[in-house]
Amino acid sequence: MWQELAVALSLVLVIEGILPFLSPDRWRMMAYRIADLDSQKVRMLGLASMVVGLLMLNFLR
């Protein structure tokens, strides 16, 4: 189980690094826009991201 968790974390880091590598200026602008959002909207974005991830995991397994 720990090895699968490490692999999953590694994939998250690779995927998270794609956008700043390919387009650092756009990534920076997106980060500024997210920073301007209130906490409730950021929280809802995080929840939506988790739900989509769980649905994808459920579909793939």
Side-chain angles (χ1 to χ4, degrees), residues 3-59:
Q3 184 177 2
E4 290 177 350
L5 186 60
V7 168
L9 179 60
S10 300
L11 287 172
V12 166
L13 292 173
V14 168
I15 292 168
E16 289 279 332
I18 290 173
L19 189 58
F21 176 74
L22 294 177
S23 183
D25 293 330
R26 281 189 172 177
W27 180 83
R28 188 177 295 117
M29 290 304 299
M30 182 180 66
Y32 286 140
R33 288 182 183 163
I34 291 173
D36 287 340
L37 293 176
D38 63 291
S39 295
Q40 185 66 24
K41 288 182 182 177
V42 174
R43 185 172 283 125
M44 294 311 290
L45 282 171
L47 177 63
S49 175
M50 289 187 298
V51 168
V52 168
L54 286 171
L55 289 173
M56 288 174 62
L57 278 173
N58 191 29
F59 178 74

